[in-house]
Amino acid sequence: MSNHRRPARDNTYRNRYLHSGAWYARRDRWFLDEQHRNGDIRCALCLAAGSARNLELHHLDYRGVAQTPYGWTAHERHEDLTALHPRCHEYVHLLIDRDRALSGFVSRRTASIQAIARLQAKIAHYIEASLDQQ
Ligand SMILES: [Zn+2]
Ligand SMILES: [Zn+2]
């Protein structure tokens, strides 16, 4: 049962974390590290280049996050986070939430990767269809 959709309490916990100073600092460091590793920062869905100003970070894994009596610890590995435009991020969450298989039976990382791949296939299909019409 551990992979099933978590109760609302868990979302509240994550939402509080995502407004913490520990997360803001972790987020800033991710963008610096990504820039350093890859030379540029791209949206994982549409692949357009962006920056900390127009990209959000999506958690592939919340394992590094914990609450202690002294505050939050933000020990996500670099690979546990991925950059997305706010709009692209929304699409990924919508697809995961709507798809029972993605939301209930696989890890968050697998669900996210599958959702992004499916959305990219849709985008490619849409582009091909619109080129055919010209
Ligand atoms: Zn995008
Ligand atoms: Zn997300």
Side-chain angles (χ1 to χ4, degrees):
M1 294 295 277
S2 64
N3 274 341
H4 282 235
R5 193 193 293 266
R6 300 267 158 74
R9 190 180 159 269
D10 201 37
N11 288 331
T12 310
Y13 169 86
R14 283 174 186 168
N15 285 340
R16 277 193 291 130
Y17 170 65
L18 295 175
H19 288 96
S20 71
W23 166 242
Y24 293 138
R26 179 65 192 94
R27 185 182 181 279
D28 288 347
R29 192 159 54 80
W30 189 93
F31 280 104
L32 290 174
D33 289 346
E34 182 70 3
Q35 180 81 50
H36 189 73
R37 287 181 185 209
N38 294 333
D40 61 5
I41 301 163
R42 289 183 181 275
C43 172
L45 177 55
C46 71
L47 307 179
S51 71
R53 261 176 296 173
N54 64 353
L55 293 170
E56 298 177 348
L57 291 186
H58 172 70
H59 277 82
L60 296 172
D61 201 317
Y62 269 98
R63 228 180 328 186
V65 179
Q67 199 176 19
T68 76
Y70 311 102
W72 295 95
T73 56
H75 293 156
E76 296 96 331
R77 293 176 307 153
H78 189 78
E79 295 72 24
D80 290 346
L81 297 163
T82 193
L84 291 161
H85 290 111
R87 200 71 181 277
C88 295
H89 195 177
E90 216 179 296
Y91 285 133
V92 171
H93 278 276
L94 279 174
L95 184 56
I96 292 174
D97 285 347
R98 265 186 218 163
D99 189 306
R100 274 193 71 227
L102 292 184
S103 61
F105 301 103
V106 295
S107 72
R108 188 180 173 88
R109 180 183 301 276
T110 302
S112 303
I113 290 167
Q114 286 182 7
I116 289 169
R118 271 198 236 165
L119 289 165
Q120 284 174 336
K122 272 189 190 165
I123 293 168
H125 181 81
Y126 174 79
I127 292 170
E128 275 168 35
S130 64
L131 288 175
D132 284 347
Q133 283 169 10
Q134 286 172 359

